[in-house]
Amino acid sequence: MAQQIYSTYPPALTAEQEEYLVQTVKDWSIEHALAVRPSTAVVPEGANPNNVLATNAPVTLFPSPFPKSCFEQAKHLQQVYNELYAAITSDEQWLEGVMKELIQVDDFLANLWKIHLAVKEEGYVQDLSLGMFRSDYMLHTTDPNSAPTLKQVEFNTISSSFGGLACKVAELHNHLATYPSPSHPVAYPPHPLFGNSADPKTASSVRSTGHPPPNHAIFALTAGLAAAHEAYGPVKSKSTPPLPTCILFLVQDDERNVFDQLALSTHLFKEHKIPSFRLPVSQILARTSIPSKEANPARPLIYTPPSSPSTQYEVTVVYFRALYGPAEYSSPTIWAARHHLERSAAVKCPTVLLHLSGSKKVQQVLTSKPPGPDHLRFFLPGYAEATLDSLRSTFAPQYALSESEPEGIKLALSEATAANHVLKPQREGGGNNIYRNNIPSFLNSIPRDQWKQYILMELIRPPPEAKNAVLRSDGNVAVGHVVSELGIFGTCLWRSTNFNTTGTTGTTASAKWSAAAPGPQVKKSGLEILWNADGGYLLRTKGKESDEGGVAAGFSSLDSLILYESH
Amino acid sequence: MAQQIYSTYPPALTAEQEEYLVQTVKDWSIEHALAVRPSTAVVPEGANPNNVLATNAPVTLFPSPFPKSCFEQAKHLQQVYNELYAAITSDEQWLEGVMKELIQVDDFLANLWKIHLAVKEEGYVQDLSLGMFRSDYMLHTTDPNSAPTLKQVEFNTISSSFGGLACKVAELHNHLATYPSPSHPVAYPPHPLFGNSADPKTASSVRSTGHPPPNHAIFALTAGLAAAHEAYGPVKSKSTPPLPTCILFLVQDDERNVFDQLALSTHLFKEHKIPSFRLPVSQILARTSIPSKEANPARPLIYTPPSSPSTQYEVTVVYFRALYGPAEYSSPTIWAARHHLERSAAVKCPTVLLHLSGSKKVQQVLTSKPPGPDHLRFFLPGYAEATLDSLRSTFAPQYALSESEPEGIKLALSEATAANHVLKPQREGGGNNIYRNNIPSFLNSIPRDQWKQYILMELIRPPPEAKNAVLRSDGNVAVGHVVSELGIFGTCLWRSTNFNTTGTTGTTASAKWSAAAPGPQVKKSGLEILWNADGGYLLRTKGKESDEGGVAAGFSSLDSLILYESH
């Protein structure tokens, strides 16, 4: 049944219909800042000397069908996942146990760990952490007759992007499906999934929402930032005399996805009256400072706006939209800057430990279940077994490539079994995975002691018939079979009570915010959850020939979804 | 005093301040669709093959100071001006008298007039007209010690543009002047006109609003369209069976100012639930039709969306954002299309007669006062003399170049007096004026019987010290002395009761809307005003070296204003 939905969608377009649809998407996108700065592949550098141009973000022309039950499951699990990663981050010992081997072979993870140790040695001055998460899933199909299930691709603990633009794609597809009326939209031909055509082939057995569900990612992510800002301290400034406060958006120097980020900072000021500033990575040490211990042991992070140096701000939250991958740490200065931020009193989103918790290795270790260690039960003592089972059901089988666990190595080196797997390095971001039959030869080409840097994961098999059309940022349209990845955003603010801290900060806001935590009352010790919420969704869709994701890299497109139930 | 305001403004910027300000304006503009499609001067055609790129509209970096009393006067006069042009349009005889001579020498005006005569012969089926006006002014200074006064440049009766973007420029400048707080904005250095610096030179004698007044042009222009849509008929459709109704935005095929227009159509649907479609001029005859007299004598205008031909719409209002100047009438087909629209039952914004009323010749004739004919009193019988005097005070001296009124010819041919004048053709749009000493030689280069196509107008002398900085659409910044032009938008809906009509349409909505007309109870006969409102503002600012306006042509920039009172 489900397969039939994909095989008859999206509806075919006449030339005039495609022309109207594409022109409408182009114009709507710029009108609503569903936009990016173009790459040099779209506009050669010489034709854009002042970097003043914008173009539409790559978007699908239609929302993609998605089973309602899988969407609901992902949404319901988000707060559980949020708490899981909060608990992991608050258990330094457990994390050290998982990372130990990796740190020996991975400089990037080792340097992050060193920053944690150095700040621990000096004493943390901030026991709050903010997580702005995105849990990414794909649909997994085993045979054409059974319903697809949800499998987690990865859990992002740093720089989870596209919340701003994702809201707008849902709005765009809503507009296309309902303007001027849902029964007779101008942009889309009738189709059973839009609820305006009674095609007997599918209509009788499928119920759909007709258009994408509302996406509140901008609202939710902004609320998470505001919660951390509020929790920074009842009397915000730790400086004498007190300073005005702000949130810093830490951004890449050559960021092209700026309108995604501006959607959040604009809403943050409009809704919460919290000022924020964009700080490029290269400017961290020039524009921020921490007073000496003698001057102020609370270590507030002071930001001096270059355009208005006479008014300094105290930073409540550093929101990382940069510094997630090794390639960004191009010099010792950048490492020093990361260390500098970590030792400050600002709430970090994320802390170094939370950044490390997002490693693929952690994801793999979590899949262990009895008779192995039951990590989920350990970190989530208050949850019903059924909830943990639902969470476990989203794990794809995955393996370490470690001498102590030989199964992974065996699966990876055999051509036959490798064909069903992907090899993933620890690092964040797309572009580094090794697929299928390339795995054995790749492994044989690198030293054996490097293998432990990788995780072997069984390939997820998305619905093979799914199709869509994409408007790329260069204005070209591509049509064909596609693969979609659902991301659910979540925000979580917590206090880690096990670390030594110099103990001067933020101990009174918890009463206010803990009411927002809807989870069970039993929490892992060392952890106090102050805020926990799911936060909207993202669908990314790419052409099937491409194995890699990453919308910003131009491979895939922003999408939204039409939920369906087949019965 | 006023001169001093201009000489100390805008505040000087350090390199870091300019960098921050320019980057903020670039990003804010795209984020809020204060945008245009780039011209080929900004991006060569080859670098933009799918016309997918956008760039910021040219904007000033600072709002321009403007005397509050002049702004208030212009706002107060708008409804009077609206009614004046409604009355002119409803007096076919008077208009014919004014246009008679011109029609003999100007093919464009002659063709428009012919359309009116042909439709009159057949019988009009729509007695309602919608005006979406913009009255343009400049400040006029006589000597440095007296306050500037307001002089009208022109009154636009067709395709008055930039209402959508003008609202956003006011918002942009508001953001820059008040983020994160009005006392310490990050983007602007302190200045007395922002209300955050007590510079003793000006602060003591000047009061200002600190930031631009709110601009409700999008709201107001949309309300005007909605009023006409509503008045089209109590049971909207004149078709059997009834059709869904819509408004058509008639646009140029290669329009670059599309986001200005989309701001209106989007608001029209969001606020009033009225669908609208964009109809390029080249598609008028292909996409719209009028039933034969036998089929439906009411002559409804039927629109068939090319992407969804099975659902036809009846057009309540045709909103012209095209076909204002001779260059657009490139073929007999376009003239036929204009005729086709004019004879339909749709409310035209504007009708052919209203289009003709916007001629410079009408503007010149209106300046006549006793002992000549008092046209203002004739058209506006219900207004107090003081109101008409205020309106008259906005007229710059202007003259016909007609044998029967020799004064204009004398002033134009003498080098000494020509130096204080501009020669304007009848047609709309910038780029065709002859300035100062070029006037005598120009006139001598064309046949004498062509002279009557031109109006001679005394040059308006704006404050010579005014300065600003401009971010152009190519991302370059230009700084220098500037000239600003204030436009006040106005909307007016009226019924002309003197023409013969076939009399089937729209006679019952007047009761509802006439309540909105705030003017005096005495109206010129032949005219029933159903809606009359002022509608926000536009400031356009250009470098002083350029004599021509026209933001879209790249010569000038969108601006907003800071109102000041000197005392």
Side-chain angles (χ1 to χ4, degrees):
Chain A
M1 197 65 264
Q3 298 302 331
Q4 200 177 42
I5 284 169
Y6 293 100
S7 64
T8 64
Y9 186 88
L13 299 173
T14 64
E16 293 200 309
Q17 284 171 332
E18 181 175 322
E19 188 190 339
Y20 180 83
L21 179 55
V22 167
Q23 189 59 50
T24 303
V25 172
K26 278 184 191 172
D27 288 344
W28 195 101
S29 296
I30 296 298
E31 190 193 356
H32 295 81
L34 175 49
V36 292
R37 295 290 182 196
S39 70
T40 49
V42 173
V43 187
E45 210 170 322
N48 188 15
N50 293 307
N51 198 20
V52 77
L53 299 171
T55 184
N56 61 278
V59 290
T60 59
L61 294 183
F62 296 92
S64 287
F66 202 89
K68 190 176 178 206
S69 58
C70 293
F71 181 70
E72 301 288 354
Q73 184 190 11
K75 262 181 66 165
H76 287 143
L77 287 178
Q78 189 58 39
Q79 291 184 46
V80 191
Y81 264 122
N82 291 348
E83 185 170 336
L84 174 61
Y85 278 85
I88 290 170
T89 305
S90 300
D91 193 332
E92 183 205 14
Q93 261 189 311
W94 185 90
L95 203 53
E96 190 181 6
V98 170
M99 305 303 290
K100 208 168 37 192
E101 268 201 319
L102 276 175
I103 288 169
Q104 294 164 14
V105 290
D106 188 318
D107 279 354
F108 179 63
L109 300 179
N111 280 330
L112 286 175
W113 191 260
K114 270 186 223 157
I115 288 176
H116 161 60
L117 292 180
V119 177
K120 185 181 165 192
E121 169 80 19
E122 184 183 11
Y124 276 98
V125 288
Q126 181 55 272
D127 54 5
L128 297 173
S129 302
L130 176 66
M132 303 265 275
F133 300 133
R134 202 188 64 221
S135 185
D136 289 340
Y137 305 91
M138 283 168 74
L139 291 177
H140 183 57
T141 54
T142 43
D143 69 275
N145 295 318
S146 49
T149 58
L150 200 64
K151 293 294 174 195
Q152 190 182 51
V153 178
E154 63 180 345
F155 191 86
N156 300 283
T157 61
I158 182 167
S159 297
S160 310
S161 53
F162 295 116
L165 298 188
C167 287
K168 299 182 181 198
V169 184
E171 252 185 89
L172 165 67
H173 287 157
N174 248 309
H175 170 77
L176 297 171
T178 63
Y179 184 86
S181 84
S183 55
H184 293 95
V186 187
Y188 288 162
H191 189 275
L193 282 178
F194 301 142
N196 53 18
S197 156
D199 173 359
K201 272 196 293 184
T202 51
S204 60
S205 61
V206 170
R207 235 192 344 235
S208 90
T209 51
H211 50 83
N215 191 348
H216 63 294
I218 292 173
F219 177 89
L221 295 173
T222 307
L225 287 170
H229 177 82
E230 192 66 28
Y232 178 77
V235 182
K236 287 284 182 316
S237 175
K238 305 177 199 303
S239 306
T240 317
L243 294 174
T245 54
C246 75
I247 291 180
L248 280 188
F249 281 48
L250 192 68
V251 298
Q252 295 184 333
D253 283 68
D254 53 355
E255 180 62 75
R256 296 199 299 106
N257 191 27
V258 60
F259 305 107
D260 180 50
Q261 300 166 351
L262 289 175
L264 301 187
S265 52
T266 295
H267 190 79
L268 190 63
F269 191 72
K270 202 171 160 191
E271 202 62 36
H272 301 280
K273 305 288 167 236
I274 302 172
S276 63
F277 299 102
R278 296 172 63 75
L279 178 63
V281 163
S282 66
Q283 303 293 307
I284 296 173
L285 294 175
R287 303 295 174 214
T288 69
S289 63
I290 299 173
S292 69
K293 190 175 177 181
E294 295 67 34
N296 188 342
R299 279 185 242 150
L301 184 66
I302 311 300
Y303 173 68
T304 307
S307 66
S308 177
S310 60
T311 308
Q312 293 188 313
Y313 288 79
E314 185 169 329
V315 180
T316 57
V317 183
V318 182
Y319 174 41
F320 284 68
R321 291 295 293 259
L323 294 188
Y324 50 86
E328 291 181 272
Y329 293 78
S330 52
S331 75
T333 311
I334 306 285
W335 280 110
R338 180 77 193 257
H339 184 175
H340 164 79
L341 297 175
E342 188 71 8
R343 65 184 288 274
S344 80
V347 179
K348 269 75 66 185
C349 175
T351 61
V352 161
L353 287 186
L354 180 54
H355 188 171
L356 288 167
S357 307
S359 305
K360 304 288 183 302
K361 179 67 189 173
V362 169
Q363 194 188 3
Q364 179 259 318
V365 168
L366 289 174
T367 62
S368 154
K369 57 186 171 188
D374 187 351
H375 299 298
L376 287 193
R377 173 54 63 213
F378 173 70
F379 284 119
L380 300 167
Y383 282 92
E385 199 56 33
T387 303
L388 300 193
D389 281 345
S390 174
L391 198 123
R392 269 193 206 98
S393 76
T394 65
F395 295 162
Q398 46 199 295
Y399 310 89
L401 295 191
S402 148
E403 305 298 343
S404 58
E405 300 164 75
E407 192 182 359
I409 292 179
K410 206 177 113 196
L411 291 167
L413 290 180
S414 144
E415 291 267 341
T417 48
N420 194 31
H421 287 83
V422 54
L423 192 68
K424 294 180 161 192
Q426 298 304 327
R427 64 196 63 166
E428 288 291 325
N432 301 299
N433 294 341
I434 314 292
Y435 286 89
R436 301 188 181 88
N437 299 341
N438 296 327
I439 298 173
S441 55
F442 173 79
L443 285 175
N444 287 323
S445 75
I446 61 170
R448 200 173 172 107
D449 63 0
Q450 300 286 318
W451 290 8
K452 61 180 94 133
Q453 290 182 63
Y454 293 87
I455 294 302
L456 189 75
M457 192 186 215
E458 201 173 296
L459 279 171
I460 304 170
R461 307 205 163 273
E465 294 294 321
K467 288 189 293 295
N468 210 326
V470 162
L471 176 67
R472 304 186 335 188
S473 284
D474 61 6
N476 289 316
V477 174
V479 185
H481 284 97
V482 294
V483 174
S484 295
E485 195 169 312
L486 173 71
I488 301 287
F489 293 99
T491 58
C492 193
L493 177 71
W494 65 91
R495 172 169 293 120
S496 302
T497 56
N498 276 345
F499 299 160
N500 69 321
T501 70
T502 58
T504 58
T505 63
T507 50
T508 57
S510 59
K512 177 164 180 197
W513 292 109
S514 57
Q521 290 310 301
V522 183
K523 303 282 175 195
K524 187 165 175 299
S525 67
L527 172 67
E528 184 188 357
I529 303 258
L530 309 182
W531 172 276
N532 187 358
D534 77 296
Y537 66 90
L538 164 73
L539 200 70
R540 281 183 300 176
T541 291
K542 56 185 174 177
K544 214 169 183 181
E545 63 288 0
S546 157
D547 265 328
E548 283 294 339
V551 175
F555 294 107
S556 74
S557 298
L558 299 170
D559 195 354
S560 74
L561 32 78
I562 290 195
L563 301 177
Y564 70 83
E565 294 173 278
S566 45
H567 47 96
Chain B
M1 196 67 264
Q3 298 302 331
Q4 198 176 43
I5 285 169
Y6 293 99
S7 63
T8 64
Y9 186 89
L13 299 174
T14 65
E16 294 199 308
Q17 285 171 332
E18 181 175 322
E19 188 190 338
Y20 179 84
L21 179 55
V22 168
Q23 189 59 51
T24 303
V25 172
K26 278 183 190 172
D27 289 343
W28 195 101
S29 297
I30 297 298
E31 189 193 356
H32 296 81
L34 175 49
V36 293
R37 295 288 182 198
S39 70
T40 50
V42 173
V43 187
E45 210 169 324
N48 189 14
N50 293 307
N51 198 20
V52 77
L53 299 172
T55 184
N56 61 278
V59 291
T60 58
L61 294 183
F62 297 91
S64 287
F66 202 89
K68 189 175 179 208
S69 57
C70 293
F71 181 70
E72 300 289 352
Q73 184 191 10
K75 262 182 64 167
H76 287 142
L77 287 179
Q78 189 59 39
Q79 292 185 44
V80 190
Y81 265 122
N82 292 348
E83 184 169 337
L84 174 61
Y85 278 84
I88 289 170
T89 305
S90 300
D91 193 331
E92 183 204 15
Q93 260 190 311
W94 184 90
L95 203 52
E96 188 181 8
V98 170
M99 305 302 291
K100 206 168 38 191
E101 269 202 318
L102 276 175
I103 288 169
Q104 296 163 12
V105 289
D106 187 318
D107 279 353
F108 178 64
L109 300 179
N111 280 330
L112 286 175
W113 191 260
K114 272 186 222 156
I115 288 176
H116 161 62
L117 291 180
V119 178
K120 185 181 164 191
E121 169 80 21
E122 183 182 11
Y124 276 98
V125 287
Q126 182 55 272
D127 54 5
L128 297 173
S129 303
L130 176 66
M132 303 265 275
F133 299 132
R134 203 186 64 221
S135 184
D136 290 339
Y137 305 91
M138 284 168 73
L139 290 177
H140 183 59
T141 54
T142 43
D143 69 277
N145 295 317
S146 48
T149 58
L150 200 64
K151 292 294 173 195
Q152 189 181 54
V153 178
E154 63 181 346
F155 190 86
N156 301 283
T157 61
I158 182 168
S159 299
S160 310
S161 54
F162 295 115
L165 298 188
C167 286
K168 298 182 182 199
V169 184
E171 253 187 87
L172 165 66
H173 287 157
N174 248 308
H175 171 76
L176 297 171
T178 63
Y179 184 86
S181 82
S183 55
H184 293 96
V186 187
Y188 286 162
H191 190 276
L193 281 178
F194 301 142
N196 53 17
S197 156
D199 173 359
K201 273 197 291 182
T202 51
S204 61
S205 60
V206 170
R207 237 192 342 235
S208 91
T209 51
H211 51 85
N215 191 347
H216 63 295
I218 293 173
F219 177 90
L221 295 173
T222 307
L225 287 170
H229 177 82
E230 194 65 28
Y232 179 76
V235 182
K236 286 283 181 316
S237 175
K238 305 177 198 304
S239 306
T240 315
L243 294 174
T245 53
C246 74
I247 291 180
L248 280 188
F249 280 48
L250 192 68
V251 299
Q252 295 184 332
D253 283 68
D254 54 355
E255 179 62 75
R256 296 200 300 107
N257 191 27
V258 61
F259 305 106
D260 180 50
Q261 299 166 351
L262 289 176
L264 301 188
S265 52
T266 295
H267 190 81
L268 190 62
F269 191 71
K270 201 171 160 191
E271 202 63 35
H272 301 280
K273 305 287 168 238
I274 302 173
S276 62
F277 299 102
R278 296 171 64 74
L279 178 64
V281 163
S282 65
Q283 303 294 307
I284 297 172
L285 294 175
R287 305 293 174 214
T288 67
S289 62
I290 299 173
S292 68
K293 190 176 177 182
E294 294 67 35
N296 189 341
R299 279 185 240 149
L301 184 65
I302 310 301
Y303 173 68
T304 307
S307 66
S308 177
S310 61
T311 308
Q312 293 189 312
Y313 288 80
E314 184 168 329
V315 180
T316 57
V317 182
V318 181
Y319 173 41
F320 283 67
R321 290 295 292 259
L323 294 187
Y324 50 85
E328 292 182 90
Y329 293 78
S330 51
S331 75
T333 311
I334 306 284
W335 280 111
R338 181 77 193 256
H339 184 176
H340 165 78
L341 296 175
E342 189 71 9
R343 65 184 287 275
S344 80
V347 179
K348 269 75 67 186
C349 174
T351 60
V352 162
L353 288 186
L354 180 53
H355 188 172
L356 288 167
S357 306
S359 305
K360 304 289 183 300
K361 179 67 188 173
V362 169
Q363 194 190 2
Q364 179 259 319
V365 168
L366 288 175
T367 62
S368 152
K369 58 187 172 188
D374 188 351
H375 300 298
L376 288 193
R377 173 54 61 213
F378 173 70
F379 284 119
L380 301 168
Y383 284 92
E385 199 55 34
T387 303
L388 300 193
D389 281 345
S390 174
L391 198 123
R392 268 190 206 101
S393 76
T394 65
F395 294 161
Q398 45 199 295
Y399 310 89
L401 295 191
S402 149
E403 306 298 342
S404 57
E405 300 164 73
E407 193 181 358
I409 292 179
K410 205 178 114 198
L411 289 167
L413 289 180
S414 145
E415 292 266 341
T417 48
N420 194 31
H421 288 82
V422 53
L423 192 68
K424 295 180 162 193
Q426 297 305 328
R427 65 196 64 167
E428 287 291 324
N432 300 300
N433 294 341
I434 314 292
Y435 287 89
R436 301 187 182 89
N437 299 341
N438 295 328
I439 298 173
S441 56
F442 173 79
L443 284 176
N444 286 323
S445 74
I446 61 172
R448 199 172 172 108
D449 64 0
Q450 299 288 317
W451 291 7
K452 59 180 93 131
Q453 290 184 64
Y454 293 87
I455 293 303
L456 189 74
M457 190 186 214
E458 200 172 300
L459 279 170
I460 304 171
R461 307 207 162 271
E465 294 294 320
K467 288 188 295 292
N468 210 326
V470 162
L471 176 67
R472 305 187 332 191
S473 283
D474 61 7
N476 288 316
V477 174
V479 185
H481 284 96
V482 294
V483 174
S484 295
E485 196 169 312
L486 173 71
I488 302 287
F489 294 99
T491 59
C492 193
L493 177 71
W494 65 92
R495 173 169 292 120
S496 301
T497 56
N498 276 345
F499 299 160
N500 69 320
T501 70
T502 58
T504 60
T505 63
T507 49
T508 59
S510 59
K512 178 163 180 197
W513 292 109
S514 57
Q521 290 311 301
V522 184
K523 304 281 175 198
K524 187 165 175 300
S525 66
L527 171 68
E528 184 188 358
I529 303 258
L530 309 181
W531 172 275
N532 187 358
D534 76 296
Y537 65 90
L538 164 73
L539 200 70
R540 280 184 300 177
T541 291
K542 57 185 175 176
K544 213 165 183 183
E545 63 288 359
S546 157
D547 266 328
E548 282 296 338
V551 175
F555 293 109
S556 74
S557 298
L558 298 170
D559 194 354
S560 74
L561 33 79
I562 289 195
L563 302 178
Y564 69 83
E565 294 174 278
S566 44
H567 47 96

